Amino acid sequence: MDKRTFLKVSALTVTGLALNPFYGCVKTEPSGEPEGRTDDFTLPALGFAFNALEPHIDARTMEIHHGKHHAGYVRKLNAAVKDTKFATMHLPEIMAQVTEDDAGVRNNGGGHFNHSLFWNVLGQGKGGEPTGELAKAMTSAFGTFDAFKEEFSKAAKTRFGSGWAWLSVDDAGKLFISSTPNQDNPLMANIVEQKGTPILGVDVWEHAYYLNYQNRRGDYVASFFNIIDWEKVAANLTSILQ
Ligand code: MN
């Protein structure tokens, strides 16, 4: 990557990725300005009906997951940032600055960010394989799509307890797979081993799949590949690297 691209990736990672359509959806101001958040965080609307992802994710799970779990993270995040240095920061900046000492902001800010990304990359009748620049980046990083799928699925299935598996872009613009516990994510530079900007994530908390799959996390992860909207994932990558 040339210097200009590197600086752009670094700047976007730090300031809040204003050009990214996903980051647009988690910000509360439409201006794209990275600083000066004045409104409370709000629960983003799902872009589809609760039953849109059936049979892969059932409507009741979606309703509870979005309306109770994600809503709870948003509510608790607003309480946790109140009267702190995080109060006027946008979510990506909070992720970049949060530490292990900020438990409420870490858990609920991560919860809000992670679920917002999760809903953004899911869609009815999706799946398949990526094309274009994302496909090229995947080939460069993993060799083949199947190799990516195997490594990503393994990260999701072997995460002990609750957490997430991620496909992210590092500061050199290269894709990598990682897994984080609880509601951590790769933007949490002070917490994670490998820092990056996630473009795809899968929630492997039991609340994401238990009604339909019970203990069969592997089946849920396999099903997840049928509802990934690769165009959204590709848009996330493009907006980070452009
Ligand atoms: Mn969840």
Side-chain angles (χ1 to χ4, degrees):
M1 181 159 47
D2 62 29
K3 189 179 178 193
R4 180 180 158 276
T5 307
F6 175 77
L7 289 173
K8 192 155 192 178
V9 169
S10 301
L12 285 170
T13 302
V14 171
T15 59
L17 301 127
L19 299 172
N20 185 309
F22 158 63
Y23 285 83
C25 96
V26 296
K27 287 161 67 99
T28 55
E29 292 174 326
S31 64
E33 293 299 320
E35 61 270 320
R37 183 177 58 84
T38 54
D39 298 331
D40 280 352
F41 291 105
T42 56
L43 180 66
L46 281 178
F48 43 79
F50 291 133
N51 65 359
L53 305 177
E54 290 189 343
H56 309 294
I57 301 180
D58 63 282
R60 183 72 176 136
T61 294
M62 288 301 295
E63 188 177 2
I64 298 168
H65 202 172
H66 180 261
K68 301 295 183 189
H69 290 281
H70 189 174
Y73 295 125
V74 172
R75 188 176 65 250
K76 290 174 191 168
L77 174 61
N78 283 322
V81 299
K82 197 170 188 297
D83 301 325
T84 72
K85 68 175 182 178
F86 301 109
T88 59
M89 291 182 195
H90 288 291
L91 195 49
E93 188 182 3
I94 292 175
M95 298 293 92
Q97 296 204 18
V98 75
T99 72
E100 292 179 347
D101 295 330
D102 310 306
V105 176
R106 173 188 185 181
N107 293 333
N108 296 293
H112 180 29
F113 178 92
N114 298 349
H115 289 86
S116 299
L117 175 59
F118 189 51
W119 312 136
N120 177 255
V121 296
L122 298 180
Q124 187 173 28
K126 300 296 180 180
E129 297 185 14
T131 57
E133 291 303 314
L134 177 57
K136 281 186 204 163
M138 252 184 205
T139 303
S140 169
F142 310 112
T144 63
F145 176 76
D146 285 344
F148 154 75
K149 188 173 175 178
E150 187 176 335
E151 188 183 337
F152 185 89
S153 300
K154 186 179 175 189
K157 288 188 280 191
T158 58
R159 160 54 49 196
F160 183 75
S162 299
W164 293 73
W166 305 102
L167 174 65
S168 303
V169 186
D170 69 16
D171 282 349
K174 190 173 170 70
L175 296 179
F176 69 94
I177 290 166
S178 65
S179 164
T180 54
N182 305 313
Q183 296 295 354
D184 291 352
N185 65 56
L187 283 176
M188 295 180 178
N190 298 317
I191 291 172
V192 293
E193 283 177 25
Q194 195 172 9
K195 176 184 160 295
T197 304
I199 60 173
L200 170 71
V202 62
D203 187 344
V204 295
W205 283 57
E206 284 189 342
H207 69 223
Y209 62 86
Y210 202 83
L211 293 181
N212 219 10
Y213 296 92
Q214 293 80 50
N215 62 323
R216 292 174 283 114
R217 185 191 287 184
D219 291 349
Y220 158 72
V221 171
S223 242
F224 170 73
F225 278 87
N226 295 316
I227 49 174
I228 298 173
D229 186 341
W230 286 113
E231 287 186 11
K232 295 277 187 63
V233 181
N236 288 341
L237 175 67
T238 301
S239 61
I240 291 165
L241 296 182
Q242 69 186 334

